[in-house]
């Protein structure tokens, strides 16, 4: 059964009317409600607040990395473990083909249902997950395979064990190593990009975001708790943090915003997967036209430009 958010109540009501009309084979009513639905979708999704976009980024039905892997990759083969401690299910590493292009795909996976969410640690990687990602990228570099990274995490796991095993070092190591990796690298935020947990697989030649994704240094809940000690300030914090794709594009923190269906990726996974595939293949093609030195220099300039300013 589809899940509807609070601001989608009118859309939910019309959808139920369409189902009822179909049940009694009233095609005239179906057509009427379809037109109403189109108008309501444009009205609702044409004026979303930042907090509503955050809700869509966290939507329980939103496609996760594994959903896109199944839609995008042919002959996908999963790579397990960091060869040091264990396999972290919160990070997925697959090698396979996307549109005829051999690809190393790395993604963060939240999991569906209680049992799977616990298995995936709610999409919060431990240091061994980031080390697995680094191992996969080094393998891709060895065989000259482009890398696609899908970001979707509330943040790196802050538990005692993770800190004991070097969480901050694992993230920092990825930032350092990925900045000089000698293959094309593309990173896309498909849902929630949370702090260092997202940055650890966000260093790339191209960083893009889906229309209803977010990227933040801290969750709005954490921000409102620290600044105001008031959970009711979450919407205010969301707006102040500037975490939406349009805000980040304006500040040149991301390169592109990918269109997903107006009503959300969770209602048309195939179209969204196609947008990701097209962007990745076009980016790889453009990067392959550069020499290795040009590509690395362009990546270095892109990364060091973040936070730069000039006095007028």
């Amino acid at each position: 059964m589809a899940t509807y958010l609070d601001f989608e109540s009118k859309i939910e009501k019309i959808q139920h009317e369409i189902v009822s009309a179909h049940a009694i084979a009233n095609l005239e009513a179906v057509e009427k409600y379809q037109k109403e639905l189109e108008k309501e979708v444009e009205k609702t999704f044409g004026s979303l607040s930042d907090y509503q976009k955050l809700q869509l980024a966290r939507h329980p039905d939103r496609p996760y990395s594994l959903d896109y892997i199944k839609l995008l990759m042919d002959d996908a083969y999963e790579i397990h473990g960091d060869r040091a401690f264990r396999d972290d299910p919160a990070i997925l590493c697959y090698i396979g083909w996307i549109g005829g292009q051999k690809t190393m795909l790395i993604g963060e996976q939240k999991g569906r249902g209680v049992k799977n969410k616990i298995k995936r640690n709610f999409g919060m990687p431990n240091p061994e997950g980031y080390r697995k990602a680094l191992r996969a990228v080094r393998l891709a570099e060895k065989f000259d395979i482009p890398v696609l990274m899908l970001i979707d995490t509330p943040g790196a796991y802050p538990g005692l064990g993770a800190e004991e095993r070097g969480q901050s070092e694992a993230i920092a190591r990825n930032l350092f190593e990925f900045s000089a990796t000698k293959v094309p690298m593309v990173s896309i935020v498909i849902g929630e990009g949370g702090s260092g947990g997202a940055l650890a697989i966000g260093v790339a030649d191209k960083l893009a975001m889906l229309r209803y994704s977010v990227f933040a240094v801290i969750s709005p809940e954490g921000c409102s708790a620290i600044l105001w000690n008031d959970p009711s300030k979450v919407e205010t914090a969301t707006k102040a943090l500037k975490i939406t794709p349009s805000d980040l594009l304006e500040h040149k923190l991301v390169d592109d915003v990918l269109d997903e269906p107006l009503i959300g990726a969770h209602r048309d996974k195939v179209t969204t997967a196609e947008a990701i595939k097209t962007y990745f293949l076009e980016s790889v093609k453009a990067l392959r036209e550069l020499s290795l030195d040009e590509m690395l220099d362009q990546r270095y300039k892109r990364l060091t430009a973040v936070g730069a300013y000039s006095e007028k």
Side-chain angles (χ1 to χ4, degrees), residues 85-86 126-128 131 160-167 169-170:
F85 182 65
R86 68 169 186 126
N126 280 276
E128 52 271 19
R131 290 173 181 136
L160 178 61
E163 298 298 337
E164 288 175 338
R165 295 192 299 279
Q167 183 72 288
E169 188 279 335

Side-chain angles (χ1 to χ4, degrees), residues 132-304:
K132 176 170 69 169
L134 177 57
R135 176 190 160 214
V137 167
R138 283 175 172 165
L139 182 65
E141 184 180 40
K142 181 177 181 180
F143 294 101
D144 194 30
I145 299 171
V147 178
L148 171 61
M149 297 180 282
L150 303 179
I151 297 171
D152 190 16
T153 178
Y157 185 57
L160 178 61
E163 298 298 337
E164 288 175 338
R165 295 192 299 279
Q167 183 72 288
S168 57
E169 188 279 335
I171 293 172
R173 174 62 59 183
N174 279 17
L175 302 184
F176 177 75
E177 296 281 355
F178 289 6
S179 65
T181 299
K182 298 174 183 177
V183 291
M185 300 183 72
V186 178
S187 192
I188 301 173
V189 186
I190 60 171
E192 196 175 3
S195 193
L199 281 177
I201 61 168
V203 173
D205 298 290
K206 290 282 189 179
L207 174 60
M209 297 177 70
L210 288 179
R211 185 208 299 256
Y212 298 133
S213 63
V214 295
F215 205 164
V217 69
I218 188 173
S219 71
E221 292 83 359
C223 178
S224 62
I226 291 170
L227 292 184
W228 298 291
N229 195 26
D230 184 356
S232 68
K233 297 280 189 180
V234 171
E235 292 191 44
T236 304
T238 303
K239 188 174 182 180
L241 282 167
K242 304 292 184 185
I243 62 177
T244 63
S246 56
D247 287 324
L248 295 168
L249 185 65
E250 182 183 344
H251 289 90
K252 298 180 180 179
L253 296 173
V254 298
D255 299 300
D256 297 285
V257 178
L258 306 187
D259 265 342
E260 60 182 271
L262 182 63
I263 204 165
H266 53 290
R267 295 200 172 93
D268 192 349
K269 298 177 185 179
V270 174
T271 299
T272 309
E274 193 61 33
I276 291 172
K277 174 183 175 181
T278 300
Y279 181 79
F280 171 67
L281 294 176
E282 288 179 353
S283 296
V284 169
K285 183 180 178 183
L287 291 166
R288 288 294 196 192
E289 291 174 358
L290 303 174
S291 69
L292 178 59
D293 287 340
E294 287 173 332
M295 184 182 76
L296 292 176
D297 185 57
Q298 182 175 287
R299 188 188 303 167
Y300 176 80
K301 287 178 179 177
R302 181 192 165 281
L303 295 171
T304 54

Side-chain angles (χ1 to χ4, degrees), residues 10-29:
K10 291 183 180 178
I11 292 174
E12 181 180 13
K13 184 178 179 181
I14 297 171
Q15 287 277 23
H16 288 161
E17 294 289 358
I18 291 172
V19 172
S20 298
H22 269 298
I24 60 173
N26 188 341
L27 300 181
E28 187 177 332

Side-chain angles (χ1 to χ4, degrees), residues 47-116:
S47 57
L48 293 173
S49 69
D50 289 352
Y51 183 67
Q52 288 170 336
K53 291 176 183 177
L54 173 66
Q55 288 178 292
L56 284 169
R58 295 170 170 174
H59 197 289
D61 297 334
R62 191 168 179 84
Y64 295 149
S65 294
L66 197 54
D67 297 309
Y68 289 123
I69 288 168
K70 290 175 180 177
L71 290 169
L72 289 172
M73 296 197 91
D74 297 318
D75 297 327
Y77 181 84
E78 186 171 7
I79 296 169
H80 292 280
D82 66 339
R83 291 187 174 173
F85 182 65
R86 68 169 186 126
D87 182 49
D88 184 356
I91 291 271
L92 301 171
C93 298
Y94 277 82
I95 189 169
W97 300 83
I98 296 179
Q101 169 67 62
K102 186 172 281 188
T103 304
M104 180 67 74
L105 194 154
I106 299 166
E108 290 163 321
Q109 179 71 14
K110 290 182 174 178
R112 298 194 191 282
V114 175
K115 187 176 180 179
N116 215 317

